[in-house]
Amino acid sequence: MADHPPRAAYTVGSLLAVTVQVFNERGYDGTSMEDLSRAAGISKSSIYHHVRGKEELLRLAVGRALDALFAILDEPAAAAGRPVDRLEHVVRRTAEVLLAELPYVTLLLRVRGNTGTEQWALERRRDFDHRVAELVQDAVAAGQLRADVEPRLATRLLFGTVNSLVEWYRPGQRGTEALPDAVARFAFEGLRAR
Amino acid sequence: MADHPPRAAYTVGSLLAVTVQVFNERGYDGTSMEDLSRAAGISKSSIYHHVRGKEELLRLAVGRALDALFAILDEPAAAAGRPVDRLEHVVRRTAEVLLAELPYVTLLLRVRGNTGTEQWALERRRDFDHRVAELVQDAVAAGQLRADVEPRLATRLLFGTVNSLVEWYRPGQRGTEALPDAVARFAFEGLRAR
């Protein structure tokens, strides 16, 4: 046993954690399997033991973010009730998922490219946005959201606000627990004192 | 005269417009003088006639965005009046400048790197954010903004909301004139109907 190098066994999960970090630092296009092998401290052939290549790692990583986001829509508080309350739940939970899965959501938000996996990720993101846009529509139709901000724009501003957290939030920051509520308050009540 | 190629004379301004587009597409690091020469349709030596190199082009481009943003703070409606009104003016005008100078502000928001110019741009951005954060503080102190969203967070959410326009806004889009007002309404009044 003493002859074995003291190297932790790699799982897809731990490989993914390293991969996402490297993708976020160097960009997906700018990352080679060589870079991943060096960052993970395992050989390329060990990586190929787990996955077919870089694109599969991307799919697993953004898939993790997308699954967490879509799961929100199936939560009871998102699925039933007044549209405005369902929407507020989704906004708060989206912020929570973003903070909990920060590197994965960051990667998802930066996907731009032309590979099949990137196209698939963009499409699933659009699906999610579309589901939320429907909630916004329903809430406007029910008179629960102001009518002077066009629903599609409202949806974009909601996501813009929530997604902007990835620009400055760093894990372990003080007051993290309060962030999702503060974001929802900002978006639904606005900053002006009443 | 007929022997001269029918090529428009390049000015620093027109060279900058092409440069910013290429920087935004390929990233500053990923752009070579060769790329710029090809995109502009002029020789590298013609470019060097105007500027010392890539970094000076970056400085001119982000400088244009920064100058436009800082000019907002000197406008009468930003410099005097109730803090909340000054802040709302700054938010609305920041959105206007972003839409009017979209490629330049987009480039500014993407600056990340380690060259002197990038560090200088990041520092001037921080100065601007700091000036706005002071306005937020003043407005909270005057009881004009809600006290249950921490001022630093409020500042970040304000910029997050405004800056998110670069993610989806495309010039010529319908309803552009109404956007800055809608952004300000979202940020100060929130989406909930009253």
Side-chain angles (χ1 to χ4, degrees):
Chain A
M1 288 296 278
D3 288 339
H4 287 225
R7 180 178 289 162
Y10 255 86
T11 62
V12 171
S14 55
L15 177 58
L16 217 49
V18 174
T19 298
V20 167
Q21 204 183 332
V22 180
F23 283 168
N24 281 332
E25 276 165 16
R26 312 174 63 98
Y28 174 68
D29 287 335
T31 302
S32 65
M33 287 299 280
E34 193 62 45
D35 295 327
L36 295 178
S37 150
R38 208 175 307 119
I42 60 176
S43 68
K44 281 200 271 183
S45 68
S46 300
I47 298 181
Y48 285 118
H49 174 74
H50 291 295
V51 291
R52 260 160 301 161
K54 198 172 88 158
E55 195 171 340
E56 187 175 344
L57 284 166
L58 180 68
R59 178 179 281 261
L60 290 169
V62 297
R64 174 166 159 166
L66 285 162
D67 288 348
L69 290 170
F70 273 95
I72 294 171
L73 302 175
D74 295 328
E75 292 172 358
R82 298 166 70 223
V84 67
D85 297 333
R86 295 165 61 197
L87 180 65
E88 193 171 342
H89 177 81
V90 169
V91 167
R92 192 183 305 107
R93 289 283 298 128
T94 300
E96 278 173 13
V97 164
L98 184 147
L99 299 177
E101 303 285 343
L102 188 69
Y104 299 91
V105 178
T106 301
L107 183 64
L108 175 67
L109 293 177
R110 292 188 184 158
V111 162
R112 289 281 180 280
N114 292 309
T115 63
T117 296
E118 288 167 286
Q119 290 299 320
W120 163 81
L122 287 171
E123 187 150 327
R124 288 206 71 199
R125 254 194 82 181
R126 273 194 296 270
D127 283 351
F128 183 77
D129 293 4
H130 188 70
R131 296 277 301 272
V132 177
E134 284 176 346
L135 263 183
V136 171
Q137 290 272 18
D138 291 350
V140 171
Q144 295 158 353
L145 290 189
R146 55 193 311 133
D148 59 354
V149 177
E150 196 260 318
R152 216 166 71 128
L153 175 60
T155 308
R156 281 169 158 163
L157 292 174
L158 281 174
F159 281 115
T161 305
V162 173
N163 294 345
S164 71
L165 296 178
V166 307
E167 298 296 329
W168 56 266
Y169 176 74
R170 294 298 163 262
Q173 219 158 287
R174 252 182 346 124
T176 298
E177 329 68 50
L179 265 182
D181 270 344
V183 168
R185 218 174 293 134
F186 174 83
F188 288 91
E189 317 301 336
L191 283 182
R192 192 185 301 278
R194 262 164 259 280
Chain B
M1 289 296 279
D3 288 342
H4 287 223
R7 180 179 287 161
Y10 254 88
T11 63
V12 171
S14 54
L15 177 58
L16 216 52
V18 173
T19 298
V20 168
Q21 202 183 331
V22 180
F23 283 168
N24 281 333
E25 274 164 17
R26 311 174 64 97
Y28 174 67
D29 287 335
T31 301
S32 65
M33 286 299 280
E34 193 62 45
D35 295 328
L36 295 179
S37 150
R38 209 175 306 118
I42 60 176
S43 68
K44 279 200 271 183
S45 68
S46 301
I47 298 181
Y48 284 119
H49 174 73
H50 290 295
V51 293
R52 259 160 303 162
K54 197 172 91 157
E55 195 171 339
E56 187 176 342
L57 284 165
L58 180 68
R59 178 179 281 261
L60 290 169
V62 296
R64 173 166 160 165
L66 285 162
D67 289 349
L69 290 170
F70 273 95
I72 295 170
L73 301 176
D74 295 328
E75 292 171 358
R82 297 165 72 220
V84 68
D85 297 333
R86 295 166 60 198
L87 180 65
E88 194 172 341
H89 176 81
V90 169
V91 168
R92 192 183 305 108
R93 289 283 296 128
T94 300
E96 278 173 14
V97 163
L98 185 145
L99 299 176
E101 304 286 343
L102 188 69
Y104 298 91
V105 178
T106 301
L107 182 64
L108 175 67
L109 294 176
R110 291 189 185 159
V111 162
R112 287 282 180 279
N114 292 309
T115 64
T117 296
E118 288 167 286
Q119 289 300 319
W120 163 83
L122 287 171
E123 188 149 327
R124 288 205 71 199
R125 255 194 82 182
R126 273 194 297 270
D127 284 351
F128 184 77
D129 293 3
H130 188 70
R131 296 277 300 274
V132 177
E134 284 175 347
L135 263 183
V136 171
Q137 290 272 16
D138 292 350
V140 171
Q144 295 158 354
L145 290 189
R146 55 193 311 135
D148 59 353
V149 177
E150 196 261 317
R152 217 166 71 127
L153 175 60
T155 308
R156 281 169 158 162
L157 293 174
L158 281 174
F159 280 115
T161 306
V162 173
N163 294 345
S164 72
L165 296 179
V166 308
E167 298 296 330
W168 56 266
Y169 176 74
R170 292 299 163 262
Q173 219 157 286
R174 252 181 350 121
T176 298
E177 328 69 48
L179 265 183
D181 270 344
V183 169
R185 216 174 293 134
F186 174 83
F188 288 91
E189 318 301 337
L191 282 181
R192 192 185 301 278
R194 261 164 261 279

